[in-house]
Amino acid sequence: MEAGLPADLSPLVRSAGPRPGVGIVHLGLGAFFRAHGAVYVAEAMAASGGDWGILAASLKSPGTRDSLAPQSFAYTALEAGPEGDTARLVEVIEDVLVAPEDPAALVAAMADPGVKIVTLTVTEKGYCHNPATGDLNLDHPDIARDLNDPLPRSAPGFLVRALQARRRAGVRPFTVLTCDNLPHNGAVVRRAVLDLAQAIDPDLAAWIAAEGRFPSTMVDRIVPATKPADLARVAALTGRQDAAPVIHEPFRQWVVEDDFVDGARPDLGAVGVQLVRDVAPFELMKLRMLNGTHSSLAYLGYLAGHETISDTVADPVFADFARHLWSREIMPTLNAPQGTDLGAYADALLKRYQNPAIRHLTWQIAMDGSQKLPQRMLGTLGDASTPCPGLCLAVAGWMRYVGGIDETGAVIDVRDPLSAELKRLSDSADTPADKVAALLGLRAVFSETIAARLQAPVTAAYHALVAKGARDAVREVLS
Ligand code: CS2
């Protein structure tokens, strides 16, 4: 029994009854997928049937599998709104594999002819590509290994080896449906798969290029990592003990390019998924308006001493900063997707950020900035035709954050695949101008053009951060 939970709780039990066959394998079993894609698929099966049960795989650790297995992989999704919480039981995951324990079992599961779709939430770094150029990084240690070893480690490795097994067995390929926050995410994963397949077997690459499908998607729902206190919150509402619930906001959106192998997919249209021909305008809007301001508020809010996004925007200076970023810096670079009003979208985003029932840590969003900055901030900065002091301050905030010391002199726990390199670059220089120059020299993040453009304004912003602190530097942008 977890500490803080009442003793008379009944354990969460999965409903009896027939189960669908497995039609989807999901790679990367984080909270986001369990609160977003999995819920949509469960609803689509409830609406229209089909064998779309999900076999999920963790590519790294066994924690989620170990928590979910005693509950037969059922779990609670707690919708946390400003007016209160509601709970639903999600019973769509049929099994969970932990890839490093038995990579061959995962390849075999993905090669099963009943599987028609492989969905992914492996985060930006999981594609093992160079974020500035989109190329597969053949020097990435997992990719270098997956080139020669049929038991993969990386997400592209699993996709390629499973497609190889299907081709050998005369089975049609699955659709690869990425659900990560990358622009042209379908094209990114397609390129990673084709680059790796080409290096392993050019005929395989040609088959995948001709027969495979990699629709792009825009996914949206705010789902913070589940915290220990959430277990008691769920138990209080449901009377059941759930070892692995997920907490999410009410809002959700999923826009999917309707391009699946042989048209095989759940009836997503029946449950509110937008099936479109071109997802790009939706992706760009979401990445720049939501994720761009999320990351900006995360770095600057963290430096100003705020623990969560809702705490950050409870300060009117930061709420005004978000409004400034949307109306003055980001929206002028966007074409609104059909049927969307960007001003109304921005207003709704601020309400979502203000939701006090969601405790989304600035520290969590600050993670992996080297993988996130290009699509969240640098694209806007590259397209902007007027100065963007707010986004330049956010880039400077990231630079100060990855230096590893906060405004009170405390150490920051910086999580980033490039954290050691970032710290080294930051420590290599003494003056703000030199620090900024050193970090802008990181070609995996900043192109030469954007680095040249940012040197002066980001140096000025970095100066302001050091001299005044984050909150006053933000206020100065607004004055
Ligand atoms: C967040 C996203 O952690 C992050 O970097 O910006 O996970 C964000 O909550 C989702 O993209 C919302 O759809």
Side-chain angles (χ1 to χ4, degrees):
M1 180 70 54
E2 290 287 331
L5 294 187
D8 58 348
L9 285 177
S10 48
L12 187 152
V13 177
R14 189 169 177 141
S15 322
R19 301 231 184 130
V22 168
I24 297 175
V25 170
H26 180 74
L27 303 184
L29 187 55
F32 178 77
F33 177 73
R34 294 201 288 128
H36 184 267
V39 174
Y40 275 113
V41 170
E43 288 179 7
M45 270 197 291
S48 311
D51 281 320
W52 298 109
I54 298 171
L55 181 143
S58 293
L59 294 188
K60 296 205 173 77
S61 53
T64 307
R65 188 268 321 270
D66 293 349
S67 300
L68 286 175
Q71 336 182 144
S72 308
F73 310 106
Y75 57 91
T76 312
L78 187 95
E79 181 170 304
E83 283 88 43
D85 294 346
T86 51
R88 82 153 79 185
L89 189 59
V90 184
E91 303 178 291
V92 68
I93 295 183
E94 299 302 326
D95 198 0
V96 177
L97 302 182
V98 178
E101 289 177 0
D102 189 353
L106 178 54
V107 172
M110 294 166 74
D112 187 289
V115 169
K116 309 291 184 204
I117 301 174
V118 174
T119 52
L120 293 97
T121 49
V122 294
T123 79
E124 296 84 348
K125 60 181 178 290
Y127 295 88
C128 308
H129 69 304
N130 177 332
T133 63
D135 299 333
L136 180 69
N137 178 3
L138 290 166
D139 297 329
H140 188 294
D142 290 349
I143 295 295
R145 199 172 160 280
D146 287 356
L147 273 172
N148 299 307
D149 189 335
L151 296 178
R153 279 193 187 173
S154 68
F158 277 103
L159 293 168
V160 169
R161 293 297 174 181
L163 287 165
Q164 185 177 44
R166 291 175 83 102
R167 179 164 177 257
R168 282 186 183 141
V171 175
R172 300 277 293 147
F174 42 67
T175 297
V176 178
L177 188 65
T178 159
C179 303
D180 280 297
N181 287 310
L182 288 162
H184 311 294
N185 52 7
V188 168
V189 67
R190 182 174 191 271
R191 185 142 150 212
V193 166
L194 290 181
D195 284 359
L196 184 58
Q198 182 69 30
I200 291 173
D201 171 0
D203 289 345
L204 172 65
W207 179 74
I208 298 172
E211 304 296 332
R213 291 291 179 273
F214 300 80
S216 283
T217 63
M218 180 270 249
V219 293
D220 191 7
R221 173 165 261 180
I222 292 176
V223 188
T226 304
K227 302 171 200 56
D230 295 328
L231 271 52
R233 179 173 174 185
V234 168
L237 188 69
T238 63
R240 288 188 303 255
Q241 187 190 354
D242 183 342
V246 287
I247 316 293
H248 62 78
E249 64 168 341
F251 182 89
R252 65 177 182 175
Q253 188 174 14
W254 196 3
V255 189
V256 177
E257 254 163 35
D258 199 4
D259 183 21
F260 288 71
V261 176
D262 304 325
R265 59 163 170 78
D267 189 4
L268 298 170
V271 294
V273 175
Q274 293 160 265
L275 294 153
V276 301
R277 279 193 38 215
D278 181 13
V279 92
F282 293 93
E283 272 181 343
L284 211 59
M285 170 183 76
K286 194 263 174 171
L287 286 168
R288 291 187 178 182
M289 290 192 61
L290 193 159
N291 299 109
T293 56
H294 234 192
S295 288
S296 302
L297 292 168
Y299 296 116
L300 296 167
Y302 184 98
L303 292 171
H306 293 304
E307 208 186 345
T308 67
I309 290 293
S310 55
D311 292 347
T312 307
V313 294
D315 178 341
V317 168
F318 279 96
D320 282 348
F321 182 61
R323 289 190 191 96
H324 163 95
L325 290 176
W326 286 316
S327 62
R328 300 288 184 80
E329 302 192 12
I330 302 172
M331 280 158 53
T333 71
L334 293 173
N335 290 318
Q338 219 186 352
T340 310
D341 175 322
L342 293 179
Y345 186 77
D347 292 344
L349 282 179
L350 187 57
K351 290 215 171 62
R352 292 170 62 192
Y353 292 176
Q354 286 165 334
N355 179 355
I358 292 286
R359 294 196 55 74
H360 204 178
L361 300 184
T362 46
W363 176 81
Q364 189 193 341
I365 298 163
M367 261 181 223
D368 293 348
S370 68
Q371 315 294 301
K372 292 175 174 175
L373 251 54
Q375 61 274 14
R376 294 183 177 209
M377 298 179 194
L378 305 182
T380 305
L381 285 162
D383 287 350
S385 49
T386 52
C388 290
L391 284 172
C392 287
L393 184 65
V395 173
W398 170 75
M399 291 182 171
R400 186 125 160 93
Y401 183 92
V402 298
I405 305 291
D406 76 11
E407 289 179 4
T408 69
V411 171
I412 304 173
D413 178 8
V414 177
R415 303 281 176 97
D416 192 293
L418 301 184
S419 59
E421 173 76 347
L422 296 170
K423 176 95 180 107
R424 192 187 63 71
L425 289 169
S426 173
D427 289 351
S428 69
D430 293 324
T431 66
D434 288 348
K435 263 192 211 302
V436 168
L439 285 159
L440 287 176
L442 197 64
R443 285 290 161 266
V445 179
F446 301 97
S447 69
E448 222 163 293
T449 321
I450 201 80
R453 188 186 287 200
L454 294 187
Q455 178 65 40
V458 174
T459 301
Y462 195 99
H463 258 297
L465 281 178
V466 175
K468 305 182 167 85
R471 186 171 190 274
D472 283 349
V474 165
R475 209 199 327 237
E476 195 175 63
V477 167
L478 302 173
S479 61

